[in-house]
Amino acid sequence: MKSTYDEVYARWQDDPEGFWADAAEAVHWYKKWDKVLDASRPRFYRWFSGGVVNTCYNALDRQVANGRAEQPALIYDSPVTQTIKVFSYRDLLDEVSRFAGVLQRQGARKGDRVIIYMPMVPEAAIAMLACARVGLVHSVVFGGFAAHELASRISDARPRLIVSASCGLEVGRVVPYKPLLDKGIEIASAKPERCIVLQRPEERAPMIAGRDLDWSELMADAKPAECVPVAATDPLYILYTSGTTGMPKGVVRDNGGHLVALNWSMKNVYNIEPGEVFWAASDLGWAVGHSYIVYGPLFNGNTTVLYEGKPVGTPDPGAFWRLISQHGVRALFTAPTAFRAIKREDPDGEYIRKYDLSSFRTLFLAGERCDPATLLWAEQQLGVPVIDHWWQTETGWPMGANCVGLGMLPVKPGSCTKPVPGYDVRVLSADGREVPAGQIGNIVVRLPLPPGCLPTLWNNDEGYQRSYLDTYPGYYLTADAGYKDEDGYLWIMSRTDDIINVAGHRLSTGAMEEVLASHPDVAECAVLGVADEIKGEIPLGLVVLKAGVRRPYDEIVRELIEMVRERIGPVASFKVATVVKRLPKTRSGKILRGTIKRIADGVEYRIPPTIDDPAILNEITADLAALGYPR
Ligand code: COA
Ligand code: AMP
């Protein structure tokens, strides 16, 4: 098929409001919008203002009404519990309506927040959809975060209810969630009225009388709740993501714009027809999980797969291929790190050839930069197009992609292809001028952002402007650096802030530095992301101790590693730290993290002209060599 990308992009550019109004006709509205784009409040654009919708209605009721009642809506595949369970659209609607009734019975009303802190079980998706059904704002917290991270989200979102589970299952270990939940609530400055806890058979949790309620008991006599119509501009959810400090940013998603954009993306970006099976191998705690495990596929009448397992080790590197063949998956979406892990264990693709993958059409990768070697390996082994695409929690759907539904453009490994219709992506120099093709700069998107992207941060309009709008007036700052080539292809190379991507998980080195700095023996510290063969990047900590500290260094390092695991969570993968005498700095006192990273990665570097004392670089090189860097 000849690509229609250029025409569709031009059509959007000529008439953005007409473009999105047409896309909005594909979903159900109780009342249509007064304005497609509402620009009445400078810098705070809103989509479909005046419109009234319900996200859950569009995900479930509309599909049942359109004849999909018996079609599988969600397949839960959990090698860690040896379970496969299929929910038809009718089943899912029934479960969601009843849990929505439970939430209402607990006093939750439109606009109240509900935190969902759960492992990859269907009940987590049911809880999300139930919130959407009755106008509650959900905030899912990834299970790999520890109590302090949970607490900061509770303090900010101030939820009326928390929905959780007794435990999660990682490879070879049960992770009890309840102690983390209890501690999180204890530390948080706001307390929920009730916690609803799913008791899993692998480990039951002790309950706190008067506060904790059992999911199954509540569901046993639950009355289904009908959809509550909400304004298109009302918040559907808050998803916290790493910012440059220990306090995560509460990305807000609205109902109407999100519905329209995700629905459009399923056909046009992912080329998925209603009725087909779509699998995003991610976690519900991330934006990918929200958009492409739950909402997008259900809006589009697909069967979605919810996978409680890993790419390797559950039980082997053939796990993905087993799922694809068993469930007839058409398209898989995951992070490049998953493929690097598979490639390491099965370099010749022997496990791939054990399965019938005839249903499989396209592999989508995102979440971190995809190295060409991984992309080419996947393409060669699978014999299907491998599409690298680029997006952020903030946007909720891709900014740059090869829109397969519009007809594929040639793939250039290492590039996420072109801006998706809706996004006017530019590359600017530090002084705000567009740079020529091939030259690296700051990647920005001209305002307004399309439907589906964050309208603001939760209770923090000021922080939204400061983080995203102030640097280049008229543009959204992505905090990614990269370039456009002569053909208009986008190359996303790195972050411009202190965010690192560890196994596709977005983490802030600033937040880790805050933890290290709170150790009583630490005078100053630096955390930076160093290259890792599987995870893409992993954090590395360097600390300078206070004068007079005489304790053994390895003891202190062990404590630091434990503190990050305890305060941020195991997902930070913070396992390497060392004590150094001094940190290299500029004359104005800024730590030269970029230079340390280049030394650790074995990449050529120039001694920064602003460096205070170049001799420190030799010391750091020796310290890193002692740790085995560069690897
Ligand atoms: N609950 C509790 N702990 C969790 C967790 C969860 N939901 N998710 C991860 N962890 C823990 C892991 O058990 C591990 O703990 P450990 O240090 O005791 O081993 C730690 O957090 C790091 O996890 P992870 O980064 O997942 O590393 P891993 O070595 O277990 O697995 C990969 C590596 C590549 C297989 C894995 O990261 C992966 O599948 N990545 C896919 C990426 C992805 O889904 N990205 C989302 C955006 S698309
Ligand atoms: P998250 O908010 O967790 O989705 O992380 C977003 C960040 O991940 C982006 O700002 C990029 O730095 C990085 N990222 C995501 N997808 C890609 C990609 N395809 N190529 C390069 N970087 C990516």
Side-chain angles (χ1 to χ4, degrees), residues 118-120 142-145 168-171 173 175 177 281-283 286 288-289 309-312 320 333-339 341 366-368 502-505 534-535 565 569-573 575:
M118 295 180 99
M120 285 289 285
F142 175 60
F145 283 129
L169 299 162
E170 283 295 291
V171 182
R173 84 188 151 102
V175 182
Y177 272 45
S282 176
D283 191 286
W286 307 121
V288 178
K310 300 259 174 179
V312 295
F320 277 16
F333 176 169
T334 191
T337 187
F339 268 76
E368 57 175 325
V502 181
H505 309 314
I534 299 297
K535 298 196 175 190
R565 196 177 169 90
V571 70
S573 292
K575 297 194 171 163

Side-chain angles (χ1 to χ4, degrees), residues 367-369 388-393 480 492 495 501 506:
E368 57 175 325
R369 186 172 158 67
D388 175 12
H389 62 321
W390 165 63
W391 53 304
Q392 304 181 316
T393 303
D480 279 321
I492 313 300
R495 291 283 303 195
N501 238 299
R506 171 167 160 176

Side-chain angles (χ1 to χ4, degrees), residues 74-76 78 81 83 85 87 92 95-96 98-100 103 114-131 138 140 163-167 196-202 214-216 219 284 294 306 308:
L74 184 145
I75 301 172
Y76 167 56
S78 168
T81 58
T83 311
K85 193 169 171 193
F87 295 77
L92 197 57
E95 296 277 337
V96 166
R98 286 191 305 121
F99 194 64
L103 295 170
V114 176
I115 280 192
I116 301 172
Y117 182 57
M118 295 180 99
M120 285 289 285
V121 288
E123 287 80 0
I126 290 167
M128 292 166 72
L129 289 158
C131 288
H138 62 69
V140 182
V163 185
S164 190
S166 55
C167 67
I196 300 175
V197 180
L198 176 76
Q199 292 283 16
R200 302 189 78 186
E202 292 76 15
D214 184 301
W215 172 293
S216 307
M219 283 293 265
L284 292 173
V294 180
L306 194 147
E308 190 180 27

